[in-house]
Every structure is written in C-alpha cells, then in structure tokens.
Amino acid sequence: MKKIWWIMMLITCLSLLSCQNHQTTEVLKNENVEISIDSGLFLSALVSVNASEEVTCVLDLNGGSFFFSRSDQRINDGLPSIYKMNWKDDHWNQPELFIYTGDSKNFNPYVTEDGQYILFYRMYDDDIQTGTYYIEKTPNGYSEPIFLIDAYCVSSADFKTFYASPTKGPYKNDLVMFEFDAGQCSDMK
C-alpha cells in the first residue's frame, strides 16, 4: 500500500511540475506586424536584468516596438529612463536608451493607437516643468519632447481626447478627461 501511495505522489508531483513549466504563447498581430509573447516573465534576458528595475511598459503594435521604463545605477545615474526595443526578423533587438535626460526621471510611456505619439511622465527635482510630455513620430525619428499637461497616467487613443490624473488643483489624484486641440488643453471634466 505504501508503494502505491508513493507512486501516486510521484505522478502527482511530476504532473504539477509539468504544468508549472508549461508556457502558453499569445500572438499579437495587425496588418503590419505579428508578435509572439510567451506567458511568464516577459523578455527576461533583455528587459528584466540584474542591477535594474523595470516598471511601466507599452507595446506599439503598429510599429512593432516595445517601450519600458528602467532604473539602472550603471546608466544615466540611476534615473528612470525609457527604453525601446523593436520586433524585427522574428525576434526582439537589444533595448536602446530612448528618452532620458541627466536631470529628470522619465517613465510611464504610452503610445497612441496609430503609433504617431508617445506620451510619458517627466519629473524634475528642481523648478523645471514636471508633467506629461509627448514626442511625435517624424520622417527622421521623433520630435523633441513637448510639455502637454501637469498630470500623471495620461492616455489617449487619438491624441485629441485624453484621460489623466492631475497632480495639483481641485482634481488632484482623480481621473479626468480633457481635450487637446491646436496646442491647447481644454478644461478638465
């Protein structure tokens, strides 16, 4: 009887181990790119590396790019910066330092649905304008960062209607909606 019990335990443990090691693959695709992502730690050898902390990320399915924030004591004095990776020839390239400055923290990237704009939060320790900035895709790369609004967690599918959490004022830490047209933000609602 003990022998049968041990055999049953062994079979149970082996089946549990095989379930834990089983990975599923999700395929994200549109007309421009198809990307396979395994479940579990995403791109562990490229994104999640020793001596660094990765926080927020976004996938630009139109451009086949992956953006994420990383703090690495060996780069940019440990200030959070935004990195970019591209899906090309059925694999991800090495991360490139994409948005950084020597005097600010840059994190929380967000890409509009068409991939034309990248929003991100930039935080300064001094009197320089902290808030959400954006860059626009150009034929030669991207524009210089442009200040958008003093709010955090800004998102927009179309770069016209935005959702955000202001850092000051009567709507501080609430979710609000505002519109952006001709370089001007509307009142928050």
Side-chain angles (χ1 to χ4, degrees):
M1 189 71 161
K2 269 189 170 181
K3 198 176 213 180
I4 292 173
W5 185 84
W6 281 107
I7 291 171
M8 293 301 291
M9 288 301 291
L10 181 61
I11 290 170
T12 303
C13 289
L14 288 175
S15 65
L16 286 174
L17 285 174
S18 69
C19 287
Q20 288 176 343
N21 291 328
H22 176 71
Q23 289 192 348
T24 59
T25 300
E26 183 175 343
V27 177
L28 304 172
K29 61 183 173 179
N30 69 7
E31 63 276 359
N32 297 328
V33 67
E34 180 176 313
I35 300 171
S36 296
I37 299 177
D38 292 331
S39 65
L41 190 57
F42 182 61
L43 299 171
S44 60
L46 295 172
V47 176
S48 300
V49 296
N50 291 333
S52 69
E53 294 178 11
E54 295 75 26
V55 283
T56 56
C57 63
V58 65
L59 181 64
D60 173 13
L61 201 50
N62 282 311
S65 298
F66 179 73
F67 300 91
F68 65 96
S69 301
R70 173 187 282 168
S71 292
D72 189 331
Q73 292 302 321
R74 301 166 298 180
I75 300 169
N76 200 25
D77 292 327
L79 294 173
S81 302
I82 298 174
Y83 288 74
K84 177 183 178 184
M85 296 171 56
N86 293 312
W87 179 259
K88 190 172 182 178
D89 300 326
D90 292 329
H91 71 278
W92 291 103
N93 69 341
Q94 290 291 321
E96 311 168 6
L97 191 55
F98 184 65
I99 298 173
Y100 64 96
T101 63
D103 60 349
S104 69
K105 300 171 185 168
N106 298 279
F107 51 95
N108 203 36
Y110 184 85
V111 179
T112 57
E113 198 170 280
D114 62 3
Q116 190 64 27
Y117 298 93
I118 300 173
L119 306 156
F120 61 96
Y121 193 73
R122 176 170 278 178
M123 183 186 302
Y124 289 95
D125 289 332
D126 54 25
D127 292 337
I128 301 174
Q129 186 75 59
T130 290
T132 294
Y133 285 71
Y134 70 92
I135 56 176
E136 182 177 7
K137 193 178 277 189
T138 67
N140 299 325
Y142 290 90
S143 68
E144 289 295 314
I146 301 165
F147 178 77
L148 177 66
I149 193 167
D150 190 1
Y152 184 70
C153 294
V154 175
S155 63
S156 174
D158 59 7
F159 206 71
K160 292 179 183 148
T161 304
F162 291 83
Y163 301 91
S165 180
T167 58
K168 300 176 190 163
Y171 299 112
K172 180 179 179 180
N173 299 326
D174 287 334
L175 292 176
V176 298
M177 192 251 338
F178 67 93
E179 305 215 344
F180 184 69
D181 187 33
Q184 298 295 315
C185 293
S186 70
D187 290 337
M188 295 181 185
K189 304 172 191 174

